[in-house]
Amino acid sequence: MFQKEFAMRLVAQPGDKLYCRLSVNNQLYARVSHLLKVGKSNFRPPPKVDSSVVQIEPRKPRPQLNPKEWDGFIRMCFIRKNKTLGSIFRLKNVLSLLEKNYKTLQALGCSHSTSIENIDIGMDISKLGNSNEDQSMEMDGGSDDEMELENGDDEGDAESEVSEFKDKVLGVLKEGQFEEKRASKLTQQEFLYLLSLFNKAGIHFS
């Protein structure tokens, strides 16, 4: 039994107002269903909110994927859950984080076929927003143009490299026809498919 809003997030489906990272992650590892509402009048003293009972049944076998990779990917998709993925992956600080990650893996000699399960390159998704609040997955700071890349030396070369990497990232979105889609409406299978396309292109999120 949970507070009603939290319970509704657990069972929310794509397109629902409360659909968020919690919904996606919980439903990846478990089958979740809403059983019944428990009104606040059933308690003494009565709380300020209603409650709900949900059933959570772990999936067996457990999904075979890298938890850190999945978490980093879902966090990034839900930075602005009602914006298109094309808009999110055009943001300068998103591209900067992904490119830094990409170059580190390239330097380590990893390809998309190489397991990164035991490689920790310290990608800090928390820089993109408040990772503790699913409801307001919005980045502070206004427009993309206001977000600056780190290490501003040799701006011409840096901009050229970023442009090439940006084309690579957007190419993945276009390949899967995800550029105009929103995280708030993607199904579990669509998230898994998009992650596989990114990994195939050598782009990782952990």
Side-chain angles (χ1 to χ4, degrees):
M1 184 167 62
F2 301 104
Q3 287 188 5
K4 183 181 177 182
E5 184 175 343
F6 182 83
M8 292 299 98
R9 290 185 181 210
L10 291 177
V11 302
Q13 297 298 307
D16 292 348
K17 182 178 179 180
L18 293 177
Y19 189 64
C20 59
R21 282 196 296 116
L22 177 64
S23 316
V24 176
N25 287 329
N26 190 56
Q27 292 170 33
L28 174 69
Y29 293 107
R31 295 180 179 86
V32 192
S33 57
H34 181 265
L35 298 183
L36 60 103
K37 174 184 174 182
V38 182
K40 53 189 174 184
S41 60
N42 289 284
F43 300 91
R44 293 291 184 274
K48 295 181 179 180
V49 296
D50 292 324
S51 300
S52 283
V53 176
V54 298
Q55 177 175 307
I56 302 176
E57 179 185 359
R59 294 187 185 277
K60 295 180 181 180
R62 186 181 177 88
Q64 298 299 307
L65 74 163
N66 182 339
K68 289 184 178 180
E69 178 76 0
W70 174 260
D71 184 62
F73 168 65
I74 294 299
R75 282 176 183 270
M76 193 164 283
C77 288
F78 276 92
I79 290 169
R80 295 179 174 177
K81 73 173 188 177
N82 291 313
K83 299 293 184 181
T84 65
L85 293 175
S87 296
I88 291 172
F89 284 95
R90 281 184 172 88
L91 294 172
K92 288 184 179 179
N93 55 352
V94 168
L95 289 169
S96 180
L97 275 175
L98 287 176
E99 185 176 24
K100 181 180 178 181
N101 195 12
Y102 177 79
K103 288 182 176 179
T104 300
L105 289 172
Q106 292 296 308
L108 291 171
C110 296
S111 67
H112 68 265
S113 60
T114 303
S115 172
I116 61 169
E117 190 77 36
N118 298 317
I119 299 176
D120 183 3
I121 61 175
M123 186 173 180
D124 190 1
I125 302 294
S126 65
K127 292 179 180 179
L128 301 178
N130 189 343
S131 61
N132 295 320
E133 295 182 4
D134 279 305
Q135 187 172 10
S136 57
M137 285 287 169
E138 297 292 325
M139 263 189 291
D140 297 329
S143 70
D144 184 17
D145 293 336
E146 296 171 351
M147 300 174 186
E148 299 295 334
L149 285 168
E150 297 177 356
N151 303 323
D153 297 334
D154 301 323
E155 291 184 359
D157 292 340
E159 288 180 2
S160 176
E161 291 181 8
V162 169
S163 179
E164 291 180 7
F165 185 74
K166 178 180 177 180
D167 290 342
K168 185 179 185 71
V169 171
L170 296 182
V172 171
L173 294 177
K174 290 177 181 178
E175 178 183 352
Q177 298 182 339
F178 286 101
E179 195 172 15
E180 297 302 320
K181 294 184 178 181
R182 292 167 169 78
S184 60
K185 296 185 178 181
L186 290 189
T187 66
Q188 193 78 245
Q189 291 304 313
E190 286 176 314
F191 278 120
L192 288 167
Y193 177 54
L194 178 55
L195 178 59
S196 72
L197 291 179
F198 273 120
N199 288 172
K200 183 178 179 181
I203 300 170
H204 293 276
F205 298 82
S206 64

